[in-house]
Amino acid sequence: MTRKVDVKVKLNKFCIRVKKCCMSCSHKDLTRCVGKRFCLKQEIDVKKDFYCPKWRMSHTQRMAGFARGSVKCREYLMFVLAVREDEALAIERGEEIEIKTLDELRAEFLKNHGEIYEY
């Protein structure tokens, strides 16, 4: 049986809905070795969906949407990943190569495939 939880939300400055819970709070601290969440403000262990009146949106959540909707297409991301993997393998084999900059990768993709952004 699933339990329905009422979730409070807040809009960031780019009108993206952010859940008001421990996951998005700037006061949370994750202890990776134990896998628990700790509230730095209240000094208690909390669950990810915990909400308290001292909740404050984290910097990352506030900045979500900063790119103003510019999403890179999957083909471009896969192209960059493939190039970086090839470079890593060449370095592993002991070859001396010049690592391409992102500007060079973008220019090459634009020349061969077209636009890097999805619309």
Side-chain angles (χ1 to χ4, degrees):
M1 183 164 130
T2 59
R3 182 182 73 142
K4 185 175 179 182
V5 179
D6 288 331
V7 178
K8 296 179 182 185
V9 295
K10 181 173 174 81
L11 297 179
N12 71 0
K13 63 183 178 178
F14 300 103
C15 296
I16 295 175
R17 295 166 49 116
V18 176
K19 292 179 184 176
K20 289 178 81 171
C21 60
C22 182
M23 288 188 303
S24 58
C25 185
S26 63
H27 301 304
K28 78 172 180 296
D29 182 46
L30 290 177
T31 50
R32 299 247 183 248
C33 58
V34 183
K36 291 186 176 181
R37 292 175 193 274
F38 185 77
C39 179
L40 296 172
K41 194 79 167 171
Q42 298 187 57
E43 298 182 352
I44 58 171
D45 286 336
V46 292
K47 295 201 182 293
K48 64 182 179 180
D49 58 353
F50 177 75
Y51 169 75
C52 72
K54 296 177 179 162
W55 178 88
R56 183 170 174 213
M57 193 181 301
S58 69
H59 175 72
T60 308
Q61 297 289 337
R62 276 196 315 264
M63 299 309 290
F66 184 70
R68 303 206 189 270
S70 298
V71 177
K72 292 183 176 79
C73 67
R74 186 175 194 282
E75 292 78 15
Y76 171 70
L77 297 174
M78 296 307 290
F79 170 76
V80 172
L81 179 63
V83 170
R84 293 296 186 226
E85 285 176 341
D86 290 344
E87 290 172 346
L89 287 173
I91 291 170
E92 206 173 277
R93 288 190 300 260
E95 298 174 22
E96 289 196 23
I97 62 164
E98 190 172 321
I99 303 294
K100 293 182 179 180
T101 66
L102 278 178
D103 290 333
E104 291 171 334
L105 291 174
R106 283 187 192 123
E108 184 179 336
F109 188 86
L110 284 170
K111 185 176 113 187
N112 297 330
H113 304 284
E115 188 60 46
I116 67 172
Y117 294 104
E118 287 187 1
Y119 292 102

